[in-house]
Every structure is written in C-alpha cells, then in structure tokens.
Amino acid sequence: VWDVVDFPDSLHEINAGVLSPNMNLIADYPLDWLKATSTNYDAVLFNRTLAAMPVSEFRRYLRILKTRTSYVVFNEPGKILFLDNDLDIDSIDPACPLRMSIWNTHNYRKVFEEEGYEFVHYDAVRTTHHFSAPQHFVIQGIARPIGSSASI
C-alpha cells in the first residue's frame, strides 16, 4: 500500500490517471500528516521535494522519519547553471544550502549523517533529462537510520 501525501485539495483529481487500488491519496501537509499518524513505512520517497525546502524543514522530516521508516529514498535536482566549475556538493555548508533559482542544493550527505542516517546508495550525476541544462545534476540516495537492521 502506498500513502501518497501532498497538500493540494485536488489531489484526487490531479492523480486520477495514475490511481491504483493500493494507493491512498491524502490531501494534507506531509509533515503534519507524519506528526498525526502512527503509521510506519518501509520506505519514504522524496522526489524533487527536499530541494524545495529550507534545511530546517528537511531536518524536521528526517527526525520524524528516523523511527518511522526503514529507508528514505530521494531524487533531487541540483541546478548549478551559473557555476563555472563542477560543483563539489559535499563542500556546501550543511546549514546553508546553495540556492539556485527555486531549488536548494543541500549537502545531502552531511545533513543525513548529522541526523543519524547512513547511506546504502548515494550519487550526484549530470542528468540527460530533456528539461535540464548541461550543468544540471541529479542528486539521489537511499539512507537508513543508523542501527537499523533493514537491508535491501
């Protein structure tokens, strides 16, 4: 079963073409939903979501999820259109993401580690996605709370 939580009231209408019987659409602010529910998850997916958040909100999600999920999976843009060189994402101050357009390029590795997670997979690669410019990165990873016995 998939719980799909997002804030638009029109969530059912927006997703009408992709609904399946094992999907629960929940129109709510996801952080509020996580605070209000006692549901535990095998995995929680962020897709182009963490990059839209300030680091303080990103950390709040990780703190709540630490005891509620086995894995946090993310796929985020790292838009670096105006930089002359390749970006060393690990050199970004974890308290101060690099702001590009509407996206924050976080030091994902450091933020996850500071919140008590370890990576099962992590990479930052140039994308060939047709909406991207030559210097557009996709930052993706799978992390689990340190001490978790979960395995892929």
Side-chain angles (χ1 to χ4, degrees):
V1 174
W2 287 88
D3 284 344
V4 179
V5 186
D6 207 346
F7 56 87
D9 290 334
S10 58
L11 192 60
H12 285 81
E13 295 157 16
I14 293 169
N15 291 284
V18 296
L19 283 178
S20 68
N22 63 342
M23 291 173 71
N24 296 323
L25 297 180
I26 302 157
D28 199 350
Y29 183 62
L31 194 56
D32 291 343
W33 166 256
L34 286 168
K35 289 177 183 176
T37 185
S38 60
T39 304
N40 290 325
Y41 296 96
D42 293 327
V44 172
L45 172 65
F46 291 95
N47 186 43
R48 296 174 48 141
T49 308
L50 297 174
M53 293 180 195
V55 71
S56 59
E57 186 174 4
F58 175 9
R59 288 180 182 275
R60 282 196 295 275
Y61 275 98
L62 292 181
R63 288 177 190 141
I64 289 173
L65 292 171
K66 197 169 174 183
T67 60
R68 307 278 295 286
T69 188
S70 299
Y71 295 99
V72 175
V73 179
F74 64 94
N75 183 61
E76 300 293 329
K79 203 167 192 175
I80 58 168
L81 299 176
F82 308 108
L83 299 178
D84 293 331
N85 310 358
D86 285 344
L87 173 65
D88 177 3
I89 295 163
D90 292 336
S91 71
I92 297 171
D93 179 347
C96 187
L98 181 62
R99 184 81 174 168
M100 292 288 176
S101 181
I102 62 170
W103 304 112
N104 291 306
T105 302
H106 295 282
N107 182 336
Y108 291 94
R109 187 186 320 267
K110 191 71 171 169
V111 173
F112 271 89
E113 288 173 354
E114 287 177 355
E115 294 300 332
Y117 288 79
E118 61 187 354
F119 280 98
V120 176
H121 171 79
Y122 177 87
D123 65 19
V125 295
R126 289 188 192 275
T127 180
T128 57
H129 191 274
H130 67 279
F131 289 119
S132 65
Q135 289 186 337
H136 187 108
F137 278 76
V138 171
I139 307 160
Q140 51 197 3
I142 303 170
R144 64 180 172 211
I146 291 174
S148 170
S149 60
S151 63
I152 294 179

